[in-house]
Each structure stands twice: as C-alpha cells, then as structure tokens.
Amino acid sequence: MGQPRPCTVQAEQTGSAAAGFLLPPRSCWFHGKITREQAERLLYPPETGLFLVRESTNYPGDYTLCVSCDGKVEHYRIIYHNGKLTIDEEEYFENLMQLVEHYTKDADGLCTRLIKPKLMEGTVAAQDEFSRSGWALNRKELKLIQTIGKGEFGDVMVGDYRGTKVAVKCIKNDATAQAFIAEASVMTQLRHNNLVQLLGVIVEERGSLYIVTEYMAKGSLVDYLRSRGRTVLGGDCLLKFSLDVCEAMEYLEANNFVHRDLAARNVLVSDDNIAKVSDFGLTKEASSIQDTAKLPVKWTSPEALREKRFSTKSDVWSYGILLWEIYSFGRVPYPRIPLKEVVPRVEKGYKMDAPDGCPPVVYDLMKQCWTLDPVVRPSFRMLREKLQHIRAKELYL
Ligand code: AMP
C-alpha cells in the first residue's frame, strides 16, 4: 500500500472536488473553509487519532484531512481524480464519508487510523450526524419509567425502548449537553463486552439530551461490593471483576482512548455479574473535569493532578485504586488520611497497604500501577496477562 503523504507537496492539476460531491451536511467532522492554523487549534490539545476534514485553502476544490498524531497534526491532501477522491492514489472513494469510514477502520498508510472526530459545535449538527449514522432513537418510542440514580449532570432513569429495558441518562442543561454530545459520538465507535453499551441518543430541539445505554441490573460495582461483602464474594469473584475491567481498559488502550475517571463507582454490574466500565469519556469535556479542584483526587495520578497530563498510564494509576476498592469490598481509598494530605504523601511515594486478605500477587499489581513515573507503569495488556496468569494458576486462593 502506498504511503499517503501529508499535504505539503506541490499540487498536481486536479479538478474540483466540490462539484457534485455528497458533502456530509453539517457533519461533525467537516469544518468547511478553515485555515491550516485554525485546524491545528481545533485539534489542540493533542490526542492521537483526533481528526477533521476541511476545504483546502491552497488547492481550492480539494479537501484536507487533518489528523493529530503523537503531538503533531498531519495534513493529508484529498485529491479529486477521475471523478473520485483519493489520498494515496491507490484507494479511491465516491465521497468523503466513505473515505473517513475507510481510514477509521485502518490507518492504511496514514500516521494513525481516524479515532475521534473533532466535532462541529451545535446540537442541530449533532442531531443530523446521529441520524445519519443510525444512532438517533425515536423519542416517541422511549418510555421513561423511574429514576434510578442521580448523576452529576442529570438523572439516570430506567426506561423501555421498543420492549427492551434500558438506562437513560437525561441531560437537561444545553451547555452540558454540548459536551456530552461530543462524547456520545465517541461512544458510537466503541464496542466491547466490558463497556456499558450505548444503544442510541436522542437530541431534542430544546437542547435536552438523552443517552440510552444497556441496563445494568445490579447497579454500580462499589455499591455491589459494599452490600455483599466478603461473606458473599469469594476471591474468584473479585478476580473476575478485576479482569472484566482490565479487558475493557485494554480495549480503550488499544484504541488510544483515555477514560480519565476510572473508579468502582463508574463500573456497573449486569444481571449475569459481568462488570462493565461506564461513563467512558462522558466527563471528559464536561466542565467539572476542567476544574482541577473537582478532580477525584484519590483516583487521579499525580501527573494528571499536577499538569492535567491524562493518558492511558494515568488510567492505569486509577485502575490500581480500583483494584484496591475491589479487594477492600468498596472502602473509600486512603482511609484515615485527611484528603488534603493525600496528594503530598502520595507524591513522596506513599502507597496504601494491602486490603485485608488481598492476595500478595494482586497487591503487587496495585503497587506497580502506583509507580510515580507513568512510563514505568504497566500497560493494561500486561496487567490483563498477569491477572489471567493469577487466575489460571489459582494464585488468588
Ligand atoms: P452516573 O451518572 O453514571 O454516575 O450514574 C448514577 C447512578 O445511576 C449509578 O451509580 C447507577 O446506580 C445508576 N446507573 C447509571 N447507569 C446505569 C445503567 N446503565 N444501568 C443501571 N443503572 C445505571
């Protein structure tokens, strides 16, 4: 496969791509006529796989695919050639949607595959986009039954959608809804048995947003652990929850997606006792997370607290705390340490003791997750392999 080149090279003579092409109407990732610099600002802060498409300023009639990769933005020229669109002159597409879809599945020579669209703002655009991609649900077919939880940004309700029991996150505030729309759009790209599955989205004209997900009958993992306790939950069960979460995180890691708020309260348990990570990314762009004062201090890695440096490795730190929560049956981390003393002590290298009865091999993993240098922390892949080894050899008994 030929190597598509960032579009700094001299143009060949091309026809007008605009003529007759099916443009995604107010589509999320299509930003129209913006400059190279504007595109780079929109793709800041860097996040590998974040992308947008703009109209080329240098070559009117062509488009440019702008992709963030390892801290810098690559600009790939999309050439109109013989009635079709191409980046590498090997793969040709009928329209931009097909092109984006192709590079979403496979980098195919780009610096990365396309992971997350940089969204055009506006709920109307979002509604169009969700309809187009098949994620928009019909409000008339959704029955809201009762409130089951209170989230920071709105109520969680149990509902019925065409005969299926569902959970519905209702976000009333327009500004908050804007942030959640961006993340719901990311959720449409993620699918794993240990991630709470998005079923669809309803964006209302008035700015309300409903995020409909699979219903997790046994509620949050932290409540589950506290209510059952050690008399009910054996070591096999705790290890299975740890593995469930680790597998979801390995999937997010492989897709360059950072959760930022991994904790037992954000893991839900299904009717058949499968733990699934929830709220992935939902809080990412919401206002509270911008405000360092409101970060969940006890779960957040030192570098993320200090420099807002969130990464898969900061998720690994949180995963270590989550393991501690699992093995202490839902206790609040850093017991008996006043909140304001937690960060200074952790920065000096303090680590929590093993929870009572925690297998040493599992405690060892927690401590590895709490390595101060993020580079030295294990990956989720390594953690998953070690947990599987512990399970296979029954080292947790
Ligand atoms: P959240 O806003 O995600 O923190 O959710 C608040 C609470 O609502 C959770 O602690 C759960 O008890 C409940 N909840 C959230 N999502 C679901 C779901 N998909 N299924 C069942 N309960 C849920």
Side-chain angles (χ1 to χ4, degrees), residues 7 13 54 60 65 116 168 190 213 275 300-301 334 349 363 371 383:
C7 70
Q13 203 52 43
R54 63 182 168 92
L65 171 65
K116 179 181 173 186
V168 188
L190 301 169
T213 64
T300 308
S301 71
Y334 303 100
Y363 181 54
T371 310
L383 288 165

Side-chain angles (χ1 to χ4, degrees), residues 157-343:
M157 302 191 73
V158 62
D160 180 288
Y161 192 78
R162 294 184 179 166
T164 301
K165 204 170 184 184
V166 293
V168 188
K169 206 160 260 191
C170 313
I171 296 131
K172 292 272 149 56
N173 175 296
D174 190 37
T176 313
Q178 292 286 327
F180 276 72
I181 282 166
E183 295 310 320
S185 158
V186 173
M187 286 172 81
T188 62
Q189 299 163 45
L190 301 169
R191 190 173 283 268
H192 188 277
N193 190 40
N194 298 110
L195 290 178
V196 173
Q197 181 60 46
L198 177 73
L199 299 174
V201 175
I202 297 165
V203 190
E204 285 193 326
E205 295 282 316
R206 287 169 283 128
S208 303
L209 172 71
Y210 300 92
I211 296 177
V212 182
T213 64
E214 66 177 305
Y215 177 67
M216 300 290 286
K218 293 188 177 162
S220 86
L221 178 62
V222 71
D223 293 338
Y224 186 91
L225 293 161
R226 286 175 190 167
S227 59
R228 273 80 172 175
R230 74 177 70 238
T231 48
V232 177
L233 303 171
D236 52 340
C237 197
L238 301 184
L239 194 66
K240 170 68 169 46
F241 286 147
S242 308
L243 251 171
D244 282 348
V245 175
C246 195
E247 283 175 26
M249 295 310 296
E250 183 184 2
Y251 170 81
L252 295 185
E253 171 177 78
N255 285 283
N256 284 320
F257 193 83
V258 181
H259 189 294
R260 300 183 187 215
D261 196 11
L262 184 61
R265 63 182 171 277
N266 286 331
V267 174
L268 299 172
V269 182
S270 71
D271 200 28
D272 48 357
N273 295 326
I274 298 174
K276 303 193 186 203
V277 174
S278 158
D279 282 1
F280 35 102
L282 282 183
T283 50
K284 191 169 166 186
E285 297 193 3
S287 55
S288 78
I289 220 83
Q290 310 293 349
D291 181 354
T292 320
K294 284 192 188 161
L295 282 171
V297 167
K298 292 181 173 183
W299 283 262
T300 308
S301 71
E303 77 280 1
L305 285 174
R306 245 188 351 254
E307 304 146 44
K308 289 198 184 165
R309 209 148 42 95
F310 288 91
S311 63
T312 296
K313 296 294 185 172
S314 59
D315 279 350
V316 167
W317 178 285
S318 312
Y319 179 74
I321 305 287
L322 171 76
L323 276 181
W324 188 92
E325 292 184 275
I326 292 176
Y327 281 86
S328 63
F329 298 90
R331 285 187 80 185
V332 176
Y334 303 100
R336 292 182 293 278
I337 301 182
L339 187 60
K340 64 177 187 339
E341 283 177 29
V342 170
V343 178

